[in-house]
């Protein structure tokens, strides 16, 4: 296997791991849920109604941006954040592939046991 090929194939699991790690924290997951309707929101809007400070929300948004789940754009003096669902769909497809492998393995085991 060539080095380029190995690097390309090993990059996906790290990307998925980064997505799962970002979503594995309850406050970041709550931010994603607030952005799920597709409407861009400012840090002030994302902080409203929560017990998190603007600084905490900013740190969580940074993690989500690094994972590719959230992107931002400047609007005057504010940054507006929006959800990018593509990485989530890729992670969902990844999990489905793993689930399909397990289902196939369990079916083979069932056939072996039942004879």
């Amino acid at each position: 296997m060539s080095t380029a090929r190995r690097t390309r194939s090993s990059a996906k699991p790290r990307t998925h791991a980064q997505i799962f790690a970002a979503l594995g924290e309850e406050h970041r997951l709550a931010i994603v849920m607030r952005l799920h309707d597709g409407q861009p929101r400012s840090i002030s809007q994302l902080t409203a109604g929560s017990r998190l400070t603007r600084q905490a929300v900013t740190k969580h948004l940074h993690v989500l941006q690094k994972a590719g789940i959230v992107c931002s754009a400047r609007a005057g003096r504010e940054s507006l954040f929006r959800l990018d669902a593509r990485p989530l769909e890729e992670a969902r497809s990844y999990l489905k592939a793993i689930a399909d492998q397990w289902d196939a393995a369990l079916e083979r085991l069932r056939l072996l046991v039942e004879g």
Side-chain angles (χ1 to χ4, degrees):
M1 181 182 271
S2 73
T3 304
R5 180 178 239 170
R6 211 173 320 126
T7 302
R8 207 175 323 119
S9 64
S10 65
K12 281 294 185 192
R14 278 194 299 270
T15 300
H16 294 132
Q18 198 172 26
I19 291 168
F20 296 134
L23 295 174
E25 201 283 331
E26 68 179 293
H27 298 298
R28 288 192 289 266
L29 191 55
I31 290 169
V32 168
M33 292 303 297
R34 292 192 76 177
L35 294 170
H36 86 280
D37 64 1
Q39 296 299 314
R41 290 188 170 76
S42 67
I43 292 174
S44 296
Q45 291 170 319
L46 291 168
T47 305
S50 81
R51 63 183 197 276
L52 295 176
T53 64
R54 288 174 57 94
Q55 183 179 5
V57 170
T58 300
K59 287 181 180 182
H60 288 304
L61 285 167
H62 178 71
V63 172
L64 292 168
Q65 277 186 297
K66 192 172 178 182
I69 299 168
V70 169
C71 57
S72 67
R74 296 291 294 178
R77 292 176 27 167
E78 288 188 313
S79 290
L80 296 178
F81 296 86
R82 70 172 182 78
L83 181 68
D84 184 351
R86 289 175 298 184
L88 299 175
E89 285 298 320
E90 290 172 11
R92 187 180 69 72
S93 295
Y94 178 72
L95 289 175
K96 183 178 179 334
I98 291 171
D100 290 347
Q101 289 174 351
W102 273 101
D103 289 346
L106 290 172
E107 180 60 18
R108 287 191 306 272
L109 178 61
R110 184 187 67 77
L111 292 172
L112 180 69
V113 169
E114 291 177 356

